[in-house]
Amino acid sequence: MERTSRIPGFYQLPVEERVAKVAAFAGLTEEEEALLRSLDGLERETADRMIENVIGALQVPMGVATNFLINGRDYLIPMAVEETSVVAAASNGAKQARVSGGFTARATDPLMIGQIQVMHPAPDAPDRIAAGKQDIIDLANAQDRVLVKLGGGARDVETRTLDKDMLAVHILVDVRDAMGANAVNTMAEACAPLVEELTGGESRLRIISNLADRRLAEATAVFHRETVGGEEVVDHMLDAYRFAALDPYRAATHNKGIMNGIDAVVLATGNDWRAVEAGAHAYAARDGYAPLTQWEKTPEGHLKGTIRLPLAVGIVGGTTKVHPAARVALKILGVQSAGELAEVMASVGLAQNFAAMHALATKGIQKGHMRLHAKNIALTAGAVGEEIDRVAEQMVKENTIRVDRAEEILAKLRRT
Ligand code: NAD
């Protein structure tokens, strides 16, 4: 079978057939397929080990986005999200990008920053840290032999004078395929006494920074003028982008749309979405809050988009290997490194942003969104079983997708 993420009509297939297609694409075992089918990704014992005071688990639907071609490779992308239309929009954006060759993505080395806060340092503390840099690096690396053996570890030490009496010492750590917080926090705590000794100050906080601006992922794609809908639509989309570039009220929503897609992949793969969110928005705010994407017109009149953001995500560590459904999600993705995972996520963010801007600049998002949301409204109105589809279809037909109308349709249905 050709290994392609372009699967026309995927959304119309029954769940069972979708699972079979994904299993064939990713070479899943029978157990992995069964896990997806059962919706029962997490056993009580595993959940009880993951956090404290466990009483149950909350399930969120996991879908796969189709059509993604990234650096010439096809991906089916697992997305765990409760919001209607996110997976459809990502798949649609990817389909349009595919026409011009898909996404080109890259990630920097996975450098995370460990911060040590130093109070009342000596006036020449930055020089003393610079002189003792190698000792700090060696001590940090002594904490994590595994990471060093894999080619990672502490790389550099920097200082930032924050106030007369406060210095931040940054340890830059290559965390390879991990998200890295535990690894970096351990190093920061271990190095604090040496930093105190060197600076003549008192160390206080010792923790990773979520502004992971040394660990960036970038993706670009060109959306062909004709697929986008012609020159006017391209221009309207560029105006939509300028709106976000000029106005933080719009930029926040622009970036929320981007994170709709990215968070869903972060969650599906067992990664820490709070860390990714914190990093994304802190990065967006570095020179005044701004969009995480840039859009421009190519000389040929096509629409070119670029996204750049920090993505502290791993394929080892944290819960990536602990949560059975996250393990399957990573297998479906087939990524070989944390950098490749970040490249995929950046591409999803760009596809998502394209789809949202396209809808907003043309027909508005409510038509498509509410059509997909109609079943949720039917459920809210109390529909069960076959009633759900019938109520939803009737509301779509009438173009009135509201709970009060769903209740009326349902009442009528039950009378007949
Ligand atoms: P971890 O400690 O579970 O795994 C990382 C370790 O795995 C490394 O230190 C290394 O020894 C080992 N390892 C094995 N193979 C590796 C490879 N190929 N590449 C890199 N390391 C490899 O997890 P972590 O990634 O250090 O920390 C992530 C966890 O920290 C997440 O669960 C996150 O929620 C949590 N956390 C986050 C914050 C924050 O973001 N502010 C703070 C505290 C904890």
Side-chain angles (χ1 to χ4, degrees):
M1 192 185 99
E2 191 201 352
R3 195 182 176 282
T4 177
S5 64
R6 179 86 192 94
I7 313 175
F10 186 76
Y11 72 102
Q12 289 165 320
L13 297 176
V15 176
E16 291 284 318
E17 283 178 44
R18 288 194 205 122
V19 173
K21 284 217 181 296
V22 170
F25 178 92
L28 300 186
T29 64
E30 275 177 28
E31 290 78 37
E32 289 164 340
E33 259 192 85
L35 184 110
L36 288 177
R37 288 208 168 93
S38 71
L39 287 186
D40 193 16
L42 192 59
E43 287 180 359
R44 193 199 312 238
E45 289 68 33
T46 313
D48 197 28
R49 277 197 302 271
M50 284 170 71
I51 64 164
E52 310 74 39
N53 299 359
V54 166
I55 55 162
L58 175 80
Q59 291 178 337
V60 175
M62 180 158 84
V64 292
T66 54
N67 302 324
F68 274 87
L69 185 64
I70 304 168
N71 295 335
R73 183 164 190 264
D74 267 280
Y75 293 88
L76 285 177
I77 304 182
M79 300 176 79
V81 62
E82 86 296 344
E83 187 178 347
T84 304
S85 79
V86 170
V87 179
S91 304
N92 188 268
K95 186 170 152 195
Q96 302 218 25
R98 215 178 160 87
V99 176
S100 320
F103 300 85
T104 306
R106 64 196 173 94
T108 63
D109 279 342
L111 278 188
M112 296 300 288
I113 300 166
Q115 293 195 295
I116 301 172
Q117 179 193 26
V118 182
M119 298 304 296
H120 314 296
D124 61 345
D127 295 336
R128 294 206 220 166
I129 290 286
K133 184 155 96 175
Q134 195 54 48
D135 291 340
I136 299 174
I137 291 174
D138 292 343
L139 183 58
N141 284 338
Q143 312 307 313
D144 201 332
R145 294 288 174 212
V146 177
L147 190 59
V148 173
K149 211 166 132 211
L150 290 165
R155 292 273 182 266
D156 205 354
V157 182
E158 296 174 351
T159 51
R160 296 176 69 237
T161 301
L162 301 176
D163 211 337
K164 291 193 294 295
D165 63 343
M166 197 192 299
L167 180 77
V169 176
H170 284 191
I171 308 177
L172 272 54
V173 185
D174 182 325
V175 297
R176 295 285 89 198
D177 290 323
M179 181 267 171
N182 289 326
V184 170
N185 293 345
T186 304
M187 289 182 179
E189 288 196 2
C191 292
L194 174 57
V195 165
E196 280 194 342
E197 202 181 296
L198 287 167
T199 58
E202 183 194 332
S203 77
R204 297 270 179 86
L205 274 57
R206 298 144 295 163
I207 177 118
I208 198 162
S209 169
N210 287 110
L211 176 49
D213 60 358
R214 306 293 177 92
R215 188 182 196 179
L216 299 176
E218 186 182 289
T220 58
V222 172
F223 296 83
H224 198 282
R225 190 182 51 209
E226 295 317 315
T227 11
V228 171
E231 193 180 350
E232 194 182 53
V233 179
V234 170
D235 288 341
H236 287 192
M237 287 181 71
L238 287 169
D239 288 339
Y241 163 60
R242 267 196 334 123
F243 184 9
L246 292 168
D247 179 14
Y249 286 92
R250 172 60 209 147
T253 322
H254 181 99
N255 288 343
K256 190 273 181 184
I258 291 170
M259 300 314 289
N260 272 343
I262 294 179
D263 282 342
V265 189
V266 174
L267 186 58
T269 54
N271 273 290
D272 182 340
W273 49 268
R274 286 86 52 210
V276 170
E277 279 282 330
H281 294 290
Y283 186 72
R286 67 199 182 287
D287 303 311
Y289 195 81
L292 291 164
T293 52
Q294 285 82 44
W295 292 90
E296 61 191 290
K297 205 191 267 192
T298 67
E300 301 78 28
H302 307 314
L303 188 65
K304 182 178 174 191
T306 304
I307 185 170
R308 189 177 303 110
L309 79 166
L311 278 167
V313 290
I315 58 168
V316 298
T319 48
T320 56
K321 291 271 196 318
V322 176
H323 196 303
R327 270 204 312 264
V328 177
L330 276 169
K331 184 160 173 186
I332 294 169
L333 271 170
V335 291
Q336 302 302 314
S337 68
E340 190 183 350
L341 178 59
E343 289 169 0
V344 167
M345 288 175 179
S347 304
V348 171
L350 187 60
Q352 207 79 45
N353 188 222
F354 169 84
M357 283 205 328
H358 187 267
L360 284 166
T362 56
K363 55 190 183 301
I365 60 162
Q366 278 313 76
K367 198 155 182 251
H369 184 83
M370 291 309 281
R371 199 167 47 78
L372 293 171
H373 190 52
K375 287 184 193 174
N376 293 337
I377 303 275
L379 273 164
T380 309
V384 289
E386 285 179 3
E387 291 171 346
I388 301 167
D389 278 342
R390 293 181 64 184
V391 171
E393 276 162 25
Q394 183 62 28
M395 286 194 295
V396 169
K397 209 187 294 170
E398 294 175 6
N399 210 7
T400 309
I401 299 163
R402 290 197 320 255
V403 179
D404 59 335
R405 184 61 193 137
E407 283 167 352
E408 285 168 15
I409 298 170
L410 185 62
K412 197 164 158 220
L413 206 71
R414 285 181 177 170
R415 278 201 300 274
T416 53

